[in-house]
Amino acid sequence: MAGIVSVSRTDLAQRRKKLRNQRRIKILQTIWRTLAISGLAGGLLWVAIQPMWVLQTPAQIVMKSGNQFLSESEIKSLLSLSYPQSLWKVKPAAIAQSLKQHPTIAQATVNRRLFPPGLIVEIKERVPVAVAQTSQEQRLNNCLTKYLTSGTSTGEQLQKCLQNSGLGSKQASVGLLDVSGVWMPLDKYISLNPTSKLPNLKVIGSPEQYQSYWPKLYQAVSHSSIKVLEIDCQNSTNLILKTEIGKVHLGVPGDQLPEQINVLSKIRHLPTKVKLSQMEYIDLKNPDVPIVQMNDKNPQPTVKPPVKKS
């Protein structure tokens, strides 16, 4: 019995010794990890505060729009950063938010670049689908007509026409619209896209007059087989389209806009039956009963064109 007790005590002593050794090893490992992490953090901090991690000039910023790299002057016009400043004090999220305030930019992402130090900026620009004007001045109309009908004109060429016509102060009344109806000032768009072609569609009126229904209207017009050249939104009770088959009166813009444009496509063969010079306008206020109003020079009874199924 005494032998059994003696063995048990020896075993317990060995276990205690083993546990003490394990605790010592764990303490040493903890100390080593702490020293290693502290050393790494200190090293990173030392590297971070070195003079090399500083934005000195806009040349350290790479900005892309799609596959196109923006020039240094374009970057300066979009980013209001002070130089020099620590790369770590730059706030990418704040820069991205400020870029999205620019009327021509829909999305923006900003990331720091460590080697070499700098910023990588990617932007997605709004795509213009129409040229918009708020003023009906004749010289302004002449410039727009000249450059929009050519199909190859750029914003830079239109801007020169406005300046040469003494309409430099009128540039604020000309802008561009994207599919959602966001207004882009002409000069802001040109600063980023001087050689981009202008859309052929023209819209007349202040954005407040058509912003609520523009997305629905543009979607219908862009899918129509009839080419729409101009949209006059000045009269809130009568939306007027200038198309390849004549003027079209749509009345008060509403939910029936897609249906009205669809009916317009169905009567696309109207010029084969009625001369355009004899038509005053096509009345589609009631899309179920389209009417062709004849002009005074060629007095004829009002015509109700047959609506062909597409």
Side-chain angles (χ1 to χ4, degrees), residues 85-98:
Q85 68 169 304
S86 171
L87 185 63
W88 308 109
K89 291 183 179 179
V90 173
K91 297 179 180 179
I95 296 175
Q97 189 60 38
S98 68

Side-chain angles (χ1 to χ4, degrees), residues 70-94:
L70 276 65
S71 67
E72 190 172 326
S73 60
E74 291 170 333
I75 293 174
K76 285 181 180 179
S77 68
L78 291 173
L79 294 179
S80 56
L81 293 175
S82 58
Y83 303 94
Q85 68 169 304
S86 171
L87 185 63
W88 308 109
K89 291 183 179 179
V90 173
K91 297 179 180 179

Side-chain angles (χ1 to χ4, degrees), residues 225-237:
S225 60
I226 297 295
K227 185 177 182 180
V228 178
L229 308 173
E230 180 180 296
I231 303 176
D232 189 340
C233 306
Q234 297 178 97
N235 187 346
S236 60
T237 62

